[in-house]
């Protein structure tokens, strides 16, 4: 096992924080060392200093991508924090049904991990609009910084245990069993989610149109206060006025530093 000294840990974590926003405190030292051992072996380097030098000089971005795949925490599951989906179904979608004359509902799932969250949104929307769904443009943009989770999300293959939280009628309507005994989504649902790689730390967001709804759940917990405040300003600018931001229930928004209006736990509106 290759160990990391104080200087190396500080160099590596400063770089990770600047590029990914992820703040790694000293308590995460053994986790970082453990998760990166294979990287060092594969690059045939003998110390973290050598690894960091290669990482900083790499022009291809491959070493950073590999680091991202190792260092991010991607835990997620279907129907996570189900109150949000209930609020969407019972309150927001009925409102948008009447107010969006252009019939385009723009949703962004901003740290989508392996796809459970955006596919839950796609099923919920499809279920809500039913026969009218063809008349509506409701594609969900789903982004994450990790190539590894995006690949899994696009594949959309889930084990019987993973799909347990889903309502039975969604399972029978939108999923089918494949030859491995796992479940995949029908094309109808897959086509409703568009996956892209995107780093929330980008200074300027490239989206042509603003969103009505942004889900940015359980990613800010990894950021420090300054990064979080900057991110919230960019999310605010990316929302239509009257648009909604959903964050994780263990996350919070300092109402003094951003103009979001509190609606219910972990739901905010741009006024
Ligand atoms: C714990 S998962 C949350 C998944 C889902 N939103 C949920 O609540 O279940 C956090 C995700 O944020 C992604 N992430 C971390 N830093 C990011 C960044 N700077 N830009 C975009 N995504 C990032 C990770 O790759 C990971 O998949």
């Amino acid at each position: 096992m290759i160990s990391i000294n104080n200087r190396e840990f500080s160099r590596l974590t400063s770089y990770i924080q600047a590029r990914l926003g992820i703040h790694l405190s000293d308590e995460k030292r053994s986790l970082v060392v453990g998760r990166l051992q294979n990287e060092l072996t594969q690059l045939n380097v003998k110390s973290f200093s050598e690894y960091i030098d290669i990482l900083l000089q790499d022009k291809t971005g491959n070493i950073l991508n590999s680091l991202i795949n190792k260092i991010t925490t991607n835990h997620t599951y279907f129907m996570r924090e189900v109150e949000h989906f209930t609020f969407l179904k019972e309150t927001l979608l009925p409102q948008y049904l009447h107010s969006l004359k252009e019939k385009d509902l723009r949703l962004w799932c901003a740290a989508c991990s392996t796809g459970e969250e955006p596919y839950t949104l796609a099923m919920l929307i499809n279920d809500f609009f039913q026969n009218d769904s063809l008349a509506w443009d409701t594609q969900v943009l789903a982004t994450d910084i990790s190539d590894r989770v995006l690949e899994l999300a696009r594949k959309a293959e889930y084990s019987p245990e993973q799909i347990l939280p889903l309502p039975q009628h969604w399972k029978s309507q939108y999923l089918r069993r494949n030859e491995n005994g796992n479940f995949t989504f029908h094309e109808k649902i897959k086509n409703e989610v568009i996956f892209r790689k995107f780093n929330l730390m980008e200074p300027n967001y490239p989206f042509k149109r603003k969103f009505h709804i942004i889900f940015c759940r359980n990613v800010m917990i990894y950021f420090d206060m300054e990064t979080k405040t900057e991110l919230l300003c960019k999310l605010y600018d990316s929302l239509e006025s009257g648009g909604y931001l959903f964050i994780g229930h263990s996350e919070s928004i300092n109402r003094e530093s951003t103009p979001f209006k509190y609606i219910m736990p972990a739901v905010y509106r741009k006024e």
Side-chain angles (χ1 to χ4, degrees):
M1 167 86 81
I2 301 171
S3 60
I4 196 164
N5 65 34
N6 287 348
R7 189 172 171 273
E8 291 165 337
F9 187 68
S10 146
R11 242 182 115 201
L12 181 61
T13 52
S14 304
Y15 179 74
I16 291 174
Q17 173 139 9
R19 295 298 299 263
L20 320 178
I22 299 170
H23 171 70
L24 294 161
S25 65
D26 206 42
E27 287 150 33
K28 298 279 161 59
R29 189 186 275 249
S30 52
L31 180 133
V32 171
V33 171
R35 285 191 184 178
L36 293 181
Q37 285 299 309
N38 268 347
E39 292 294 292
L40 273 71
T41 312
Q42 273 168 21
L43 291 167
N44 200 20
V45 298
K46 301 280 173 290
S47 69
F48 269 93
S49 289
E50 220 184 311
Y51 169 71
I52 298 163
D53 288 342
I54 296 177
L55 172 68
L56 267 57
Q57 283 158 20
D58 176 44
K59 298 266 187 300
T60 65
N62 294 341
I63 299 184
L64 177 60
N65 282 341
S66 198
L67 168 72
I68 290 170
N69 291 337
K70 293 279 158 42
I71 219 72
T72 51
T73 301
N74 314 110
H75 178 64
T76 185
Y77 49 94
F78 285 110
M79 310 296 280
R80 184 176 195 177
E81 302 177 26
V82 71
E83 304 82 352
H84 283 164
F85 299 112
T86 310
F87 177 65
L88 191 58
K89 179 178 147 199
E90 293 179 358
T91 308
L92 293 193
L93 292 182
Q95 277 174 24
Y96 286 127
L97 182 66
H98 298 292
S99 64
L100 289 184
K101 300 292 174 226
E102 289 177 33
K103 298 197 171 188
D104 69 327
L105 177 62
R106 293 186 295 279
L107 259 114
W108 176 25
C109 183
C112 65
S113 190
T114 39
E116 287 84 338
E117 188 175 64
Y119 286 128
T120 301
L121 290 168
M123 287 186 283
L124 187 142
I125 290 168
N126 199 278
D127 207 31
F128 179 82
F129 287 101
Q130 293 281 337
N131 299 335
D132 212 15
S133 65
L134 284 178
W136 279 77
D137 182 1
T138 53
Q139 219 176 30
V140 177
L141 172 68
T143 62
D144 200 284
I145 198 176
S146 160
D147 296 326
R148 188 182 60 80
V149 294
L150 286 170
E151 198 182 317
L152 289 169
R154 287 192 185 101
K155 202 169 162 212
E157 180 175 342
Y158 301 96
S159 68
E161 293 72 36
Q162 284 175 300
I163 66 156
L164 274 179
L166 293 174
Q168 189 52 48
H169 73 284
W170 284 8
K171 288 186 206 168
S172 31
Q173 211 181 329
Y174 301 125
L175 285 154
R176 63 182 148 72
R177 219 181 177 112
N178 68 12
E179 60 288 358
N180 308 324
N182 290 330
F183 289 84
T184 51
F185 284 105
H186 287 289
E187 290 305 309
K188 179 163 92 167
I189 291 300
K190 276 195 182 176
N191 292 339
E192 280 301 309
V193 184
I194 175 158
F195 290 101
R196 291 279 180 274
K197 183 169 175 165
F198 184 67
N199 183 353
L200 291 167
M201 293 291 285
E202 286 294 329
N204 300 307
Y205 286 6
F207 311 114
K208 286 196 197 89
R209 308 223 27 211
K210 295 187 191 246
F211 298 93
H212 300 106
I213 295 170
I214 299 177
F215 270 63
C216 186
R217 306 192 307 170
N218 303 302
V219 59
M220 281 190 289
I221 28 168
Y222 303 106
F223 296 169
D224 68 5
M225 189 54 80
E226 194 185 329
T227 310
K228 211 173 106 170
T229 306
E230 281 169 15
L231 170 61
L232 285 167
C233 289
K234 290 184 279 187
L235 295 177
Y236 190 87
D237 289 342
S238 307
L239 273 173
E240 289 281 358
S241 63
Y244 288 82
L245 173 68
F246 293 75
I247 63 173
H249 279 81
S250 60
E251 297 166 321
S252 61
I253 288 188
N254 174 354
R255 284 175 237 169
E256 262 125 58
S257 55
T258 63
F260 277 112
K261 180 170 181 234
Y262 173 85
I263 300 299
M264 60 182 258
V267 182
Y268 294 81
R269 188 169 64 214
K270 172 172 176 172
E271 292 297 83

